[in-house]
Amino acid sequence: MSKVDRIIDHYSARVYKNRKLHIIEKTDDNHEIAANTRTIPGIMTNRGCCYAGCKGVVIGPIKDVAVITHGPIGCGFYSWGTRRNKARGDENTKNFVEYCLSTDMQEPDIVFGGEKKLRQAIKEVVEIFNPDAIMICSTCPVGLIGDDIHAVAAEAEKLYGRKVIAFSCEGYKGVSQSGGHHIANNGLIRHIIGTEERAPTKYSINMLGEYNIGGDAWEIERILKRIGYDLVANIPGDASIHDIAKAHIAHLNLVQCHRSINYVADMLKDKFGTSWLKVNFIGVSATIKSLRDMARFFDDPELYARTEQVIAEELAAIQEDMEYYKSKLKGKTAALFVGGSRSHHYQKLLKDFGMETIMAGYEFAHRDDYEGREVLPFIKEDADSKNIESIKVEKDERYRLYLTEEQYERLRKEIPLDYYAGMIREMEKGTIIVDDLNHYETEEMLKVLKPDIFFSGIKDKYIAQKAGTLSRQLHSYDYSGPYAGFNGAINFGRDVTMGITTPAWGLVKAPWKTQPILKGQLQEVV
Amino acid sequence: MLNLTPKEITERSALRINPAKTCQPVGAMYAALGVHRCMPHSHGSQGCCSYHRTYLTRHFKDPAIASSSSFTEGASVFGGGSNLKTAVKNIFDIYKPDIIAVHTTCLSETIGDDVGAFIQDMDIEDGKYVVHCHTPSYVGSHITGYGNMIAGFIKYLSKSTGKSNGRLNVIPGFVNPGDMRELKRILELMNINFIMLPDTSGVLDAPMLGSYVMYPPGGTTIENIEAMGDSPLTLALGELTCETPANELKRKCGVDYKCLPLPMGVEATDQFLMELSSFSGREIPYALEEERGQLMDILLDAYPYFHGRKVAIYGDPDTVLGITSLVLEMGMIPKYVITGTPGEAFTEKAEEMFARYEVTDCKAKASADLFELHQWIKNERVDLLIGGSHGKQIAKAEDIPIVRAGFPILDRYVHSYMPLVGYRGAIRLVELILNALMDRQDRDCADEDLEMVM
Ligand code: SF4
Ligand code: SF4
């Protein structure tokens, strides 16, 4: 039986038929995988909802915006302080990341409508916090009872003279967090980017889809600054809305998490002409490649030199530690199951330590994240994806191209410009790729593939650990980090080594389970 | 930290800031995990289920299983009947529980899904069960959901045969597995034949033995839930949490019930033991008297370090009242006592305690939030905070020591294994309080004032 069949063999015929399309064993580079489709009811999925993708992922990290969750208390409460998108405020920048603001809807609000309460909540937010901007994210009941949050937002914007932006990201929309990313992306383009100005410098860039989990964005920013880049905005980790508003002035956008931010990247290209480059700052070799690709884009001798100099210095600083952790981790096998990009990104970092990826999967990615963007024209829309608005943007008067057409065509052959090749191509033959891995398959996968480490999230971490497999969270980094860039690689090596070598693993079996303690007495009797 | 929180308090009627409660389903899920071989099922979109599982897992550091009806927009318009049907079939097929406990979410409640009717229409194999309860998140809090789910089990399963089984039903409030374990130990010391529903010990504090089992040995059995209908008495521990299920059992099977406070601190534990004694007609054994005596010993030895100190307590209503009662017994001043869960009974009970111990200038409030608590503290400080993890922001902002007790505790380990109830639980809480206050004294004092002996 194939590895895949050993994992899903016990399903009923109907479930088997469905799941079979989501799990493949790699044989060549041209696999098709089913993705971004409904989870079967009753299957214990790790997926979250549209609200989680919009408020939790994309909107929440913007630090100086008061985000009001419009709905009953739960959704807002769960997304309060739990994702580790770090942010720092200062005298000029209010930091709302520490706060949870909700309309805490009660039964009468559901019965008679919640607009009145929302209006009042906005008023109170203005009075108490006087924020630069306000955003409203709706949860499941809001759409059903028909609250017009966009009308309330427009009215409040006039009344209070500041941006008030509404997001209809009810949890039932789409099939996962992914729909929420899209809705949030649309809002950023429609209402924020391009609304403030500043002059670009020689190397002005944006970083898109970097959430500053555990401080990743700060480590990346440190490296970029050393080389001399001018980071206009990191969107959205630790971002100020005023930086995002100026993002259109950059010459190049870097895309870290393709899944959650590719809509913004594409729309910036259509509207302002800015190209984007797929980067990966997870892993030493991946970071180096990304830096070199960036230098290639600007094609400036000074920048090439500075890039190489920084790479050399950074490498020298971490070399000894890298060697040490590599000696501990080399040859270990890993399975990865994370959101929509990390399962790919982290394979590079694992490789730096001589570790091998034997399974990787995404929770809510689309086919292009697996197979590469060339499949985009062939992805069929279904009822669920049609419900998420896709907007077409017009060329802005500030539209400009940094490269000539000729340069552009030449460069596209060398670096991933406006392109993502997906995860599958970079995986070895014989590895397993899974979409929307669920609880049952996790259990089976651990038995069949026996990875040394399972990198996943909190919901299945303890399942793996109870089964005797080290598990570390790649959403929250098990409350550690940063893992990005050069210094992050060392943190990661240290954490995984610690997980593997912690003495308790050797103590799990009680001695009386392996040694016959009654032996002595028996002999006496004989 | 929390730099945007102004000292000046303004009236709020719509905006909730930094809540001290969450939504009903997470309580329902927790209760369902306390039933043996039960799969909690969230009837709504999968985001809620994901959030709730995540939250419970973060608190217990153990797997919290649950499935979802995974609504999409279509189901939200046409109703979730077919999603539930498919879900139940798949769950029995794949995860093989004995019972599925369905709770609703704001979504299925708002569209008005008749879950009871859906279940009635299902073909369920003999020996397998599907039960449900309603948990609209726009009513009450996770505490309400906990009570509702227990009531749901009773409604479907408990039976009265007309013949008493002589057993005592115990419904513990929303407490940790460590507390449930401690309650069982006390009941065993009292030699009482009891049924406890729910019982998450052995489930959410399951040991690491080298293999994962989906349904660990813990949890109340279906058989026992059925038998609850034949018990002569139910003790509902936590008046504001457990009355709904106790009342349901009375309605359905005529079982009398008594609501007691959570047995936290001296007097509430005394009251619990005296109820047990009067139920069983047995004396309270020396072993428990000994524990009580140890607690008294500690209180009388260590009072200089906590007497008169002001404390702010926040969290779930019965837990907060229990802690309030203990700190009053210690001679501390429960300056601020809040819960996010609505219900004026909380405030009344807290104020009764204030009056009984003649403490003045203390404030109690239900439906409050941590933002308001912080503002109160900015206006008049306290020496200590007691509650869940979210208070750590205030603790840091105002440089006040904090003792973690209650739910949710996302940022510490071991707490879920340890009790706060009973005399032993009180001893533990007193130790935590003492350590927090005394560590602070050591940290803050001048070198020449550092005491080697305290
Ligand atoms: S939608 Fe409702 S049930 Fe779901 S997490 Fe939010 S408040 Fe809770
Ligand atoms: S990096 Fe992963 S977890 Fe973060 S937003 Fe992207 S897909 Fe989600």
Side-chain angles (χ1 to χ4, degrees), chain B residues 98-176:
Chain B
D98 290 344
I99 179 167
I100 298 172
V102 182
H103 62 260
T104 55
T105 68
C106 343
L107 175 55
S108 49
E109 283 296 328
T110 306
I111 63 176
D113 264 1
D114 188 347
V115 177
F118 296 160
I119 293 175
Q120 259 174 1
D121 284 347
M122 285 175 193
D123 266 339
I124 300 160
E125 209 183 297
D126 267 0
K128 301 275 176 184
Y129 301 84
V130 181
V131 305
H132 92 283
C133 73
H134 290 280
T135 46
S137 307
Y138 41 79
V139 177
S141 73
H142 59 296
I143 293 299
T144 325
Y146 178 78
N148 284 345
M149 189 72 251
I150 304 170
F153 282 110
I154 290 170
K155 193 164 157 200
Y156 274 85
L157 301 172
S158 300
K159 285 185 217 134
S160 148
T161 62
K163 218 177 120 232
S164 167
N165 59 20
R167 298 168 80 181
L168 176 69
N169 298 331
V170 177
I171 304 179
F174 195 114
V175 291
N176 276 317

Side-chain angles (χ1 to χ4, degrees), chain A residues 72-75 78 139-141, chain B residues 23 25 47-48 51-52 104-107 135 137:
Chain A
I73 198 64
C75 326
Y78 302 118
T139 77
C140 286
Chain B
C23 64
C48 312
Y51 272 142
H52 303 147
T104 55
T105 68
C106 343
L107 175 55
T135 46
S137 307

Side-chain angles (χ1 to χ4, degrees), chain B residues 171-174 235-243 259-263 318:
Chain B
I171 304 179
F174 195 114
L235 290 186
L237 304 181
E239 303 153 278
L240 305 179
T241 311
C242 305
E243 180 148 21
C259 283
L260 301 181
L262 265 182
D318 284 309

Side-chain angles (χ1 to χ4, degrees), chain A residues 57 83 211 257 260 339-342 364 475:
Chain A
V57 174
R83 182 152 169 262
Y211 297 94
C257 175
S260 59
S341 62
R342 291 190 185 169
F364 45 70
H475 295 271

Side-chain angles (χ1 to χ4, degrees), chain A residues 15 40-42 44 46-47 77-78 80 98-100 102 104-105 107 124 144 172 175 387 439 459 466, chain B residues 2 4-5 13 15-16 18 21-23 46 50 52 62 66 68 90 95 107 138 210-212 214 393:
Chain A
V15 175
I40 307 166
M44 254 197 278
N46 276 339
R47 282 176 167 180
F77 182 76
Y78 302 118
W80 173 28
E98 293 159 4
Y99 290 83
C100 165
S102 166
D104 188 8
M105 286 171 97
E107 194 149 28
E124 291 171 8
L144 298 170
Y172 54 77
V175 298
N387 286 333
H439 179 287
K459 291 191 287 294
K466 283 250 176 358
Chain B
L2 298 180
L4 310 180
T5 305
S13 63
L15 185 66
R16 175 69 64 210
N18 300 353
K21 66 165 178 187
T22 184
C23 64
Q46 67 214 6
S50 227
H52 303 147
D62 246 356
S68 161
N90 284 329
Y95 307 111
L107 175 55
Y138 41 79
S211 62
Y212 169 73
M214 192 152 200
Q393 292 179 320

